[in-house]
């Protein structure tokens, strides 16, 4: 791989990790589904076209 | 030879990937809050991944067990009955006896109000959770009959005096069939009136079926709708009483 290809791959990986971190943050804040800023929204952004059946856990 | 800046970025990505995996594992194992699980929590791992989030996250831990539904409050409707002992002849109240009506709550109301029936109980609990009272707790109801041969009452309680003086009695509606399940509402209301009885008589130790007193004439009272279903033992556990049936 050329340096340019490696840099491009790194950029994609950084974007993916940002989405993964944001998904974990959404889970910690109990935003499981219902919009782009939810776990379900980030999962769909990470894998466009994925079909999900989100279930929200119980909270006190 | 790759650009050292790229190698540094890759190294950073590897560390972040490991942190994300650790965060997923924390989530999987239920380690949500830093206050509960420290550095191994998802919250702490996220702060490590993105220090800029410190103080901006509003963490919530989900429940893993459903909370027990609260039993209904006692909401007793006074019906009354002429069939009872005035007082308890000096005997302490030691047991709550659960009966099954072999009928409806309405028929029980009518029967207990009839002086000719010569029977009553303190409470009657409907399948929908209705709570009826026929006899004041300070008086003895006429629910248990007399001690029959082969009874377990004497060995459990230690005397052969009339159990009607020593018990609080609860009839439970079954629409005339011993196979009618005890509903959640009926169970909850039975618990509520038993808790009332326990507040009045903290010395109560036993939760009994009628069969303990009358094994010949009432061997199936309060029956498998209470016993085999587990509802009876569940009630005894909730009341912290010794189950006897």
């Amino acid at each position: 791989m050329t340096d340019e290809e490696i840099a491009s791959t790194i950029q994609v990986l950084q974007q993916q990790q940002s989405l993964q971190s944001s998904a974990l943050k959404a889970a910690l804040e109990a935003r499981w589904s219902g919009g782009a800023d939810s776990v379900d929204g980030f999962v769909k952004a990470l894998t466009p076209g994925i079909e999900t059946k989100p279930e929200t856990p119980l909270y006190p | 030879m790759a650009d050292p800046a790229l190698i540094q970025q890759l190294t950073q990505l590897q560390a972040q990937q490991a942190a994300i995996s650790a965060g997923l594992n924390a989530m999987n194992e239920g380690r949500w809050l830093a206050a509960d699980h420290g550095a191994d929590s998802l919250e702490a791992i996220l702060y490590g991944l993105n220090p800029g989030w410190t103080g901006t996250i509003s963490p919530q831990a989900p429940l893993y067990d459903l909370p027990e539904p609260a039993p209904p409050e006692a909401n007793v409707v006074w019906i009354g009955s002429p069939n009872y002992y005035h007082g308890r002849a000096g005997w302490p109240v030691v047991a709550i006896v659960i009966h099954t009506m072999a009928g409806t709550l309405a028929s029980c109301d009518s029967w207990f109000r009839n002086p000719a029936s010569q029977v009553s109980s303190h409470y009657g609990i409907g399948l929908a959770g209705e709570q009826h009272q026929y006899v004041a707790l300070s008086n003895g109801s006429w629910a248990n009959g007399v001690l029959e041969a082969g009874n377990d009452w004497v060995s459990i309680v230690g005397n052969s005096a009339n159990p009607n003086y020593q018990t609080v009695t609860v009839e439970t509606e079954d629409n005339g069939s011993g196979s009618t399940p005890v509903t959640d509402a009926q169970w909850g209301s039975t618990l509520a009136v038993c808790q009332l009885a326990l507040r009045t008589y903290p010395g109560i130790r036993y939760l009994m079926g009628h069969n303990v007193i009358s094994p010949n004439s009432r061997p199936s009272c309060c029956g498998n709708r209470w016993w085999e279903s587990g509802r009876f033992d569940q009630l005894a556990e909730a009341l912290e009483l010794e189950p006897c049936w």
Side-chain angles (χ1 to χ4, degrees):
Chain A
M1 289 178 84
T2 66
D3 281 358
E4 287 74 23
E5 287 170 332
I6 292 172
S8 174
T9 303
I10 286 173
Q11 194 175 13
V12 171
L13 285 170
Q14 284 171 331
Q15 289 168 349
Q16 288 176 341
Q17 289 197 349
S18 175
L19 288 169
Q20 289 167 343
S21 300
S22 296
L24 287 174
K25 180 172 182 279
L28 186 59
E29 294 185 321
R31 286 178 281 107
W32 291 86
S33 59
D37 196 27
S38 66
V39 174
D40 192 48
F42 289 119
V43 166
K44 285 173 174 163
L46 275 162
T47 311
I50 192 172
E51 290 192 12
T52 60
K53 293 179 181 174
E55 289 190 39
T56 300
L58 296 168
Y59 287 87
Chain B
M1 184 73 180
D3 182 344
L6 292 177
I7 292 176
Q8 188 184 358
Q9 281 183 316
L10 278 171
T11 304
Q12 191 179 17
L13 277 170
Q14 283 175 326
Q16 288 172 343
Q17 197 62 48
I20 288 169
S21 297
L24 285 168
N25 191 35
M27 208 165 83
N28 193 36
E29 294 181 354
R31 289 179 275 108
W32 293 84
L33 307 183
D36 297 332
H37 298 282
D40 288 335
S41 66
L42 175 60
E43 185 183 1
I45 290 165
L46 280 178
Y47 290 147
L49 262 168
N50 191 337
W53 283 346
T54 303
T56 69
I57 296 178
S58 304
Q60 293 189 62
L63 295 173
Y64 289 87
D65 294 307
L66 278 175
E68 286 287 321
E73 293 292 317
N75 185 21
V76 179
V77 175
W78 177 261
I79 304 296
S81 168
N83 310 317
Y84 62 88
Y85 292 122
H86 288 273
R88 292 180 173 276
W91 287 96
V93 178
V94 296
I96 295 170
V97 181
I98 305 295
H99 299 251
T100 196
M101 279 181 191
T104 64
L105 187 63
S107 66
C108 187
D109 289 355
S110 174
W111 191 234
F112 286 179
R113 275 197 302 242
N114 183 349
S117 73
Q118 295 286 289
V119 290
S120 67
S121 68
H122 290 101
Y123 296 109
I125 306 298
L127 288 163
E130 306 95 321
Q131 303 168 15
H132 289 186
Q133 185 166 6
Y134 310 97
V135 175
L137 286 176
S138 56
N139 294 324
S141 68
W142 293 353
N144 301 318
V146 296
L147 283 171
E148 294 180 352
N151 73 79
D152 290 322
W153 169 274
V154 173
S155 63
I156 293 168
V157 176
N159 69 61
S160 57
N162 188 335
N164 283 326
Y165 287 129
Q166 305 175 70
T167 57
V168 170
T169 53
V170 184
E171 284 280 1
T172 57
E173 183 178 35
D174 62 8
N175 284 344
S177 169
S179 61
T180 301
V182 175
T183 63
D184 288 344
Q186 186 172 47
W187 187 89
S189 284
T190 303
L191 175 61
V193 299
C194 288
Q195 286 171 332
L196 273 183
L198 274 170
R199 280 201 287 275
T200 306
Y201 297 110
I204 291 173
R205 290 179 54 196
Y206 309 106
L207 184 72
M208 289 184 177
H210 188 187
N211 64 321
V212 171
I213 296 164
S214 306
N216 303 312
S217 64
R218 298 289 187 277
S220 300
C221 185
C222 49
N224 285 334
R225 60 191 295 263
W226 279 97
W227 300 328
E228 293 300 327
S229 68
R231 292 287 202 175
F232 191 90
D233 288 345
Q234 188 185 18
L235 184 64
E237 186 178 349
L239 294 167
E240 297 183 355
L241 297 177
E242 184 179 326
C244 310
W245 53 277

